Amino acid sequence: MSTVTLPFLVVQPTKAHTATVICVHGVGDDGRGWSPVTKELAPALPHVKWVLPHAPQRPVTIYNKEWLRAWFDLTSFAFTETEDAPGMFDSVRKLDALVKAEVEAGIPQERIVLSGFSQGGAIVLLSGLGGRAVRDGGEGWKLAGVAVMSGWLPLRDRFKSLISPHALTMPVFWGHGTDDPLVRYSFGRKSAEILKDQVGLALRWGDKGEAERAAFGSAGVSFMGYDGVLHASCSKERADLKEFLKRVIPDNQSY
């Protein structure tokens, strides 16, 4: 049996539960930050259960050691300092418990998506694509997909050594505002390029418009930029996320 230690909110499906999306918030927020998004997307995905965990509280260096909900310590948005790998791995194990609880409840791992905003996006990349090196045993999850919004690739200097055997076949949605002042758009793009050049994931850029959206759900990263958007989501990004989810966890299966 899994032992879930994170508190979390749940938005229940409105028909038979056949898929789950775990939504991971950013620094200083909690699971309630995802509530408006889940309420917007839920009508189109009535078979989905939404799990919105709250990160533990910890001192966060970049915010003058203020105690905030965070998945790991963060020293700078320049992302040049030493990263908090132990904090990241601890959060991966906590998210693993949520995934395992869904599997034990009867939802196959192939019907579970990890999604995250900002720091949450970084941790779902590590959790969703990471293998044995980032968790206590097991080679990693074979999930339906990973969704990143305004995030970045953590531990990028050694990410290749951390991936699971399933990483290269994982569909990844990545949305990023072009005017993001915290996690710069250029850094988001660089993170995606590292996944292509060093890890070997396929990479498709969103400037292809509808042609790119047609590839949602395929293995690799679909990177979508949103003009003028700051460190936030926008209606167009949420529509793209909805389409991605409809592709990777369609409402056409029962268990």
Side-chain angles (χ1 to χ4, degrees):
M1 293 287 293
S2 64
T3 302
V4 175
T5 60
L6 291 172
F8 58 91
L9 306 175
V10 174
V11 178
Q12 296 287 359
T14 56
K15 60 182 297 187
H17 174 208
T18 64
T20 297
V21 179
I22 298 172
C23 304
V24 184
H25 63 79
V27 177
D29 201 358
D30 61 27
R32 290 173 295 183
W34 270 94
S35 292
V37 177
T38 59
K39 289 178 180 178
E40 180 179 336
L41 302 186
L45 298 154
H47 58 296
V48 169
K49 173 185 174 182
W50 307 82
V51 178
L52 287 56
H54 308 316
Q57 289 193 323
R58 67 184 73 213
V60 180
T61 300
I62 195 173
Y63 293 113
N64 298 313
K65 295 288 187 178
E66 183 179 353
W67 280 77
L68 300 168
R69 291 195 181 275
W71 301 104
F72 50 89
D73 190 24
L74 189 60
T75 57
S76 167
F77 283 112
F79 304 106
T80 55
E81 291 82 2
T82 300
E83 296 176 272
D84 178 19
M88 293 179 187
F89 296 160
D90 180 63
S91 287
V92 166
R93 290 189 288 270
K94 287 179 167 62
L95 292 179
D96 275 356
L98 289 176
V99 174
K100 188 176 180 182
E102 292 303 301
V103 173
E104 290 174 349
I107 301 302
Q109 57 185 291
E110 296 88 353
R111 297 282 293 172
I112 298 172
V113 173
L114 286 175
S115 62
F117 177 80
S118 190
Q119 190 189 55
I123 204 64
V124 299
L125 280 169
L126 189 60
S127 183
L129 302 182
R132 188 178 300 275
V134 304
R135 48 177 45 93
D136 295 329
E139 61 182 18
W141 300 105
K142 189 176 181 180
L143 302 175
V146 172
V148 180
M149 302 167 76
S150 305
W152 70 91
L153 183 67
L155 304 176
R156 55 197 176 279
D157 292 340
R158 56 178 170 132
F159 197 86
K160 182 177 181 179
S161 68
L162 304 176
I163 65 168
S164 82
H166 310 301
L168 296 182
T169 58
M170 189 82 68
V172 178
F173 169 83
W174 195 314
H176 214 114
T178 61
D179 290 357
D180 191 329
L182 294 181
V183 184
R184 299 287 183 179
Y185 177 70
S186 59
F187 188 66
R189 285 182 65 102
K190 179 60 177 176
S191 291
E193 288 170 352
I194 290 172
L195 287 176
K196 176 177 76 75
D197 297 337
Q198 298 183 20
V199 180
L201 272 69
L203 175 59
R204 298 172 295 273
W205 297 114
D207 54 10
K208 294 182 176 62
E210 292 307 316
E212 169 55 24
R213 290 179 177 87
F216 280 177
S218 301
V221 181
S222 297
F223 189 99
M224 311 296 290
Y226 301 95
D227 290 340
V229 176
L230 303 175
H231 193 62
S233 69
C234 64
S235 59
K236 190 173 183 181
E237 181 180 29
R238 294 191 296 273
D240 284 341
L241 175 60
K242 178 173 66 177
E243 183 60 29
F244 174 82
L245 294 174
K246 289 170 70 174
R247 299 283 182 87
V248 298
I249 44 173
D251 184 15
N252 61 3
Q253 300 184 42
S254 60
Y255 300 95

